[in-house]
Amino acid sequence: MIWNKEAECMSAEEKEDLQLKRLQEVVKRAYENVDYYKKRFDEVKVLPEDIKTLDDIKKLPFTTKTDLRDAYPFGMFAVPSDDIIEVHTTSGTTGKPTVSGYTQKDINIWSEVMARSLTMAGGGKKDLIQNCYGYGLFTGGMGVHYGAQKIGATVIPISAGNTQRQIEIMEDFGSTIITCTPSYALYLAEVLQKQGITSEKINLKAGVFGAEMWTEEMREEIEKRLNLSALNIYGLTEIIGPGVAQECLEKNGLHIFDDHFYPEIVDPKTLKRLPDGEQGELVLTTLTREGMPVIRFRTRDITVLRKGRCDCGRTLVKMDRITGRSDDMLKVRGVIVFPSQIERALLKIEGLDPHYQIIVTRPHQLDELEVQVEASDILFSDEVKHVEEVKNNIEDYIQAEIGLRVNVSLVEPQSLPRSEGKAVRVIDKRKL
Ligand code: ZN
């Protein structure tokens, strides 16, 4: 099922015409209504009428998280505050949060893209969507909520946390789709298993997982344990919330709703645009947003864009799953390491639960990387010699993945902290 065939299966020419028209409109709107954009465009001497082709977007300056933060709280709004009907913010874990404001039209757009996402995951009127994303200032809860109602599904607004209740509802109501972070899905699977509830007793067919980075191997693990299709959703509060892109059942990339969000890939160092198929930082421009247009937002997320028709019939441009964030990128002895690489290595090993933590230290001017991994019960009760073997094995796998030798320690099952939101994977103790 495709929610909006006209928008999701457009020809390349039609798409580009629409994108250009919308780009010209949004640039004009931003220039005329947001002081920040007027100032920035004037600095680089670009006027809205200079945008004559889609390629001209490269004349425009980037917007960063810092720019949005500096405009806290409402400095980026392009409409009078009377017209803003809802606000959300980022978590603000690294300073002041950034605020996102929505007009009624923006909420309609958000509902539309989330309706497309949930339909892409196989959702429809008959589905019961257990929405375990947090409701509140975080965009996850409300975004899924709007989309679920738009497609006429039954939304269960349970929000995050309270695992026991999640499981009861899942069993009693027969939820068919679950929305949460992938690490929470794995945690739920673990609790279900502990309580002897097999995947046959639950009715889930799909999971829409996002808000943190995860790997192909983690997908396999979740699918096996919960007996569902585990799909990737992507979004960010600065742009709209969840529903910027969603993976279809083909499971080879996420479709970006590029009639609403215009994507580019740039080299994070030089900021030069890269051609399709090359890896770099994703930059997004909101093409239709009214309350808070955002021009060339640097997401810090590393991915690749791929054009062409998907086997599902959609022509929306696809992006690969996020392989890292330029912020999360760890530099250890000069080598670039993403936590996702460690995860990929760990998931290759039988008998390991993919719960881990990376600890970086610099004891004697040289970086040391320690990876703590939870052993499974079976492994932990095993002979010492075997444990040593497994430890070496893991070190080999990680070395193959990142090119560095690290210290692995196997810790007792259930000993690493569990999270009901984003998992804390890296503890960097270096004073850089
Ligand atoms: Zn597809």
Side-chain angles (χ1 to χ4, degrees):
M1 261 292 286
I2 295 175
W3 176 255
N4 184 342
K5 250 196 172 126
E6 200 190 320
E8 297 177 72
C9 307
M10 236 179 244
S11 73
E13 301 73 48
E14 278 176 287
K15 173 70 60 65
E16 282 172 21
D17 287 348
L18 181 69
Q19 285 174 327
L20 177 61
K21 183 177 146 269
R22 289 182 168 177
L23 178 67
Q24 289 168 328
E25 286 166 4
V26 76
V27 167
K28 187 165 185 285
R29 212 161 54 237
Y31 186 78
E32 287 172 359
N33 298 295
V34 184
D35 291 345
Y36 164 82
Y37 283 115
K38 171 152 192 355
K39 189 164 158 272
R40 294 296 305 279
F41 291 5
D42 285 347
E43 276 165 13
V44 294
K45 299 191 170 57
V46 179
L47 288 169
E49 45 271 35
D50 295 330
I51 306 300
K52 296 194 174 72
T53 66
L54 274 178
D55 201 44
D56 287 334
I57 195 171
K58 64 173 189 259
K59 296 177 180 168
L60 298 168
F62 293 99
T63 306
T64 64
K65 212 174 169 61
T66 313
D67 297 327
L68 298 185
R69 205 175 275 150
D70 290 348
Y72 180 86
F74 306 142
M76 296 299 266
F77 291 1
V79 296
S81 51
D82 293 15
D83 295 336
I84 297 288
I85 64 158
E86 187 166 324
V87 286
H88 285 276
T89 74
T90 58
S91 61
T93 40
T94 51
K96 277 265 189 217
T98 63
V99 180
S100 201
Y102 305 73
T103 62
Q104 182 61 59
K105 190 183 153 217
D106 296 334
I107 294 292
N108 296 348
I109 292 167
W110 197 13
S111 310
E112 160 71 19
V113 290
M114 276 308 305
R116 293 186 197 173
S117 291
L118 294 169
T119 307
M120 220 184 267
K125 274 182 79 67
K126 291 193 175 71
D127 284 291
L128 270 84
I129 302 179
Q130 184 160 343
N131 186 12
C132 332
Y133 284 119
Y135 280 67
L137 284 170
F138 172 60
T139 46
M142 293 303 284
V144 170
H145 193 93
Y146 288 136
Q149 292 197 325
K150 185 151 178 128
I151 64 171
T154 306
V155 60
I156 308 168
I158 190 162
S159 198
N162 203 342
T163 304
Q164 199 44 51
R165 195 141 147 260
Q166 300 277 3
I167 286 171
E168 265 171 45
I169 296 265
M170 193 184 291
E171 242 193 323
D172 298 345
F173 290 15
S175 313
T176 55
I177 294 178
I178 185 166
T179 58
C180 59
T181 59
S183 58
Y184 190 59
L186 209 52
Y187 177 61
L188 277 173
E190 199 175 78
V191 179
L192 281 168
Q193 197 174 13
K194 217 187 293 167
Q195 298 183 358
I197 305 168
T198 57
S199 59
E200 290 80 52
K201 287 195 195 145
I202 53 172
N203 204 19
L204 294 176
K205 64 174 182 187
V208 175
F209 303 129
E212 71 183 13
M213 234 170 316
W214 52 309
T215 58
E216 227 21 73
E217 287 80 2
M218 193 156 164
R219 180 199 324 256
E220 281 169 27
E221 194 70 37
I222 295 173
E223 291 195 330
K224 195 170 68 191
R225 291 196 185 185
L226 288 176
N227 189 29
L228 47 67
S229 287
L231 304 167
N232 230 318
I233 187 166
Y234 176 77
L236 53 178
T237 306
E238 293 87 343
I239 297 300
I240 199 149
V244 171
Q246 166 74 40
E247 199 169 39
C248 65
L249 292 161
E250 300 296 324
K251 295 184 208 169
N252 57 7
L254 293 81
H255 287 287
I256 302 179
F257 300 115
D258 55 3
D259 51 332
H260 291 289
F261 316 109
Y262 185 76
E264 302 169 81
I265 295 289
V266 302
D267 180 314
K269 296 258 151 34
T270 65
L271 299 181
K272 287 239 161 58
R273 275 186 81 166
L274 296 173
D276 292 338
E278 273 191 45
Q279 196 181 47
E281 183 180 324
L282 179 68
V283 170
L284 291 168
T285 297
T286 62
L287 291 175
T288 46
R289 213 165 151 198
E290 206 175 51
M292 200 179 103
V294 182
I295 311 285
R296 301 194 88 196
F297 182 69
R298 289 190 57 189
T299 65
R300 311 276 166 186
D301 290 323
I302 307 289
T303 185
V304 177
L305 292 183
R306 300 178 199 281
K307 282 193 181 136
R309 181 180 291 271
C310 177
D311 287 343
C312 74
R314 293 175 179 87
T315 53
L316 300 162
V317 67
K318 281 210 241 183
M319 64 182 230
D320 286 3
R321 64 164 62 239
I322 305 295
T323 46
R325 273 182 72 79
S326 35
D327 303 344
D328 283 350
M329 211 167 76
L330 272 172
K331 234 177 170 181
V332 180
R333 295 188 216 164
V335 178
I336 289 171
V337 177
F338 286 115
S340 59
Q341 292 176 291
I342 306 271
E343 190 169 314
R344 197 149 53 221
L346 292 180
L347 282 157
K348 285 181 182 152
I349 297 147
E350 277 290 311
L352 271 190
D353 285 330
H355 293 293
Y356 66 97
Q357 209 156 43
I358 302 165
I359 295 153
V360 200
T361 52
R362 185 176 283 174
H364 310 287
Q365 311 300 326
L366 197 64
D367 298 331
E368 294 283 345
L369 199 77
E370 185 198 344
V371 181
Q372 296 184 339
V373 188
E374 269 183 23
S376 61
D377 289 311
I378 315 156
L379 189 63
F380 215 75
S381 58
D382 216 332
E383 289 167 39
V384 177
K385 186 173 159 285
H386 183 58
V387 171
E388 213 30 55
E389 229 171 74
V390 172
K391 192 174 108 67
N392 281 329
N393 214 348
I394 302 173
E395 288 176 350
D396 289 344
Y397 273 112
I398 294 178
Q399 185 166 17
E401 195 71 50
I402 67 173
L404 275 181
R405 195 75 189 171
V406 305
N407 301 317
V408 166
S409 25
L410 288 171
V411 298
E412 270 184 68
Q414 311 293 329
S415 64
L416 290 177
R418 293 290 188 274
S419 98
E420 297 199 332
K422 293 191 187 199
V424 179
R425 298 301 196 192
V426 181
I427 297 173
D428 197 337
K429 293 182 172 167
R430 293 173 299 181
K431 290 184 181 71
L432 296 176

